Amino acid sequence: MTLAWAHQQRTHDATAVDVCWAAGMGGLAIAAALLAGGDPARRTLVALLGGLWSARLAGFLYRNRVRGHAGEDARYRRLRAAFGRHAGAGFLAFYQGQALATALFALPFLACAQAQAPLSGPAAIAALLVGALAVGGESLADRQLARWRAEPAHRGRTCRTGLWAWSRHPNYFFEWLHWWTYPLLALGSEAFWPTLAGPLLMYATLHYATGIPHTERQALAHRGADYAAYQREVPEFFPRPPRPPERGA
């Protein structure tokens, strides 16, 4: 993260910090699997599930926020303006905060990789199924939203197709779901309770920090009444079947 901070000092663009966070998580999952001394099957699945999730997310963020996009993301422009002439020091603290968050989120990787008890077949299957559902669901939600946004006629309107009719933030829901793979991997071992830090931290981050609050404010600012109606009709996070649109909407 210090190297990423030095890069943004030269470019005055902090957008790539999200890519660095996602890639760093995968790197720590693989490092935990290689360096810890727990059950080999559990270590293999930590590297596989953490690495694949990280690679997909980092690649998506790079393609959609960094490559071919001119200018800094609006979130970081506002942060840069708030830091003012102390932007260098402010962003250094911000990047180190991201590094701390990465270390905290890596605790489930390390706990799983250190667990000595043999991994049971049902726990491995459950973890693989949940991991595949999480990555597949998040990928599908991202593709559905990208297709919607590619249509000029949809400008100023809210996506209500596919998974976006079931949840206002299906991508965030499946991101959170991914972190349940590690408690499943830790079933029957001393690592189970520490791995619960993953879904709890991700839920708190998405609901009270950088996820849903920012996204909802931006959506209301740009789409107004259309998004307000969407908020009334579609659940915020946990998916459920869509309700009929409001009359007169």
Side-chain angles (χ1 to χ4, degrees):
M1 280 299 179
T2 301
L3 292 173
W5 168 80
H7 175 73
Q8 74 79 34
Q9 283 291 92
R10 294 193 300 272
T11 62
H12 301 286
D13 187 343
T15 306
V17 66
D18 299 322
V19 180
C20 294
W21 183 88
M25 291 304 308
L28 288 176
I30 294 170
L34 291 173
L35 300 176
D39 175 61
R42 191 176 280 110
R43 289 162 55 196
T44 299
L45 287 180
V46 165
L48 176 67
L49 293 169
L52 289 176
W53 162 79
S54 166
R56 191 218 72 87
L57 181 58
F60 171 79
L61 292 172
Y62 176 75
R63 291 190 303 273
N64 289 271
R65 297 186 184 178
V66 178
R67 188 182 67 185
H69 289 260
E72 190 172 40
D73 185 284
R75 293 171 297 162
Y76 302 123
R77 288 201 305 271
R78 287 194 294 271
L79 192 58
R80 193 176 298 279
F83 288 147
R85 62 190 182 90
H86 302 294
F91 271 109
L92 179 61
F94 172 75
Y95 274 69
Q96 295 309 306
Q98 294 288 304
L100 175 61
T102 305
L104 290 174
F105 273 105
L107 290 175
F109 303 151
L110 187 60
C112 275
Q114 288 180 329
Q116 299 293 324
L119 176 64
S120 70
I125 292 170
L128 284 168
L129 289 174
V130 170
L133 177 63
V135 172
E138 192 170 6
S139 299
L140 178 60
D142 289 336
R143 289 197 302 272
Q144 289 173 342
L145 184 59
R147 285 198 299 267
W148 171 271
R149 288 176 170 173
E151 293 291 336
H154 294 159
R155 185 166 297 175
R157 296 168 56 198
T158 302
C159 177
R160 293 171 177 263
T161 62
L163 295 171
W164 298 88
W166 290 62
S167 167
R168 300 204 301 272
H169 304 282
N171 52 343
Y172 290 158
F173 169 77
F174 286 108
E175 173 76 12
W176 170 78
L177 184 65
H178 163 80
W179 291 94
W180 284 102
T181 59
Y182 306 104
L184 289 170
L185 280 180
L187 282 174
S189 79
E190 70 280 10
F192 176 75
W193 293 108
T195 60
L196 292 177
L200 291 174
L201 281 170
M202 182 54 68
Y203 187 88
T205 299
L206 291 174
H207 278 80
Y208 306 111
T210 60
I212 291 173
H214 167 78
T215 304
E216 299 255 306
R217 283 194 301 269
Q218 290 291 102
L220 283 170
H222 288 92
R223 297 194 291 278
D226 182 71
Y227 196 79
Y230 184 59
Q231 288 179 309
R232 293 190 295 270
E233 296 165 13
V234 178
E236 178 187 77
F237 189 69
F238 294 101
R240 63 156 171 74
R243 294 173 180 168
E246 294 181 343
R247 292 183 179 180

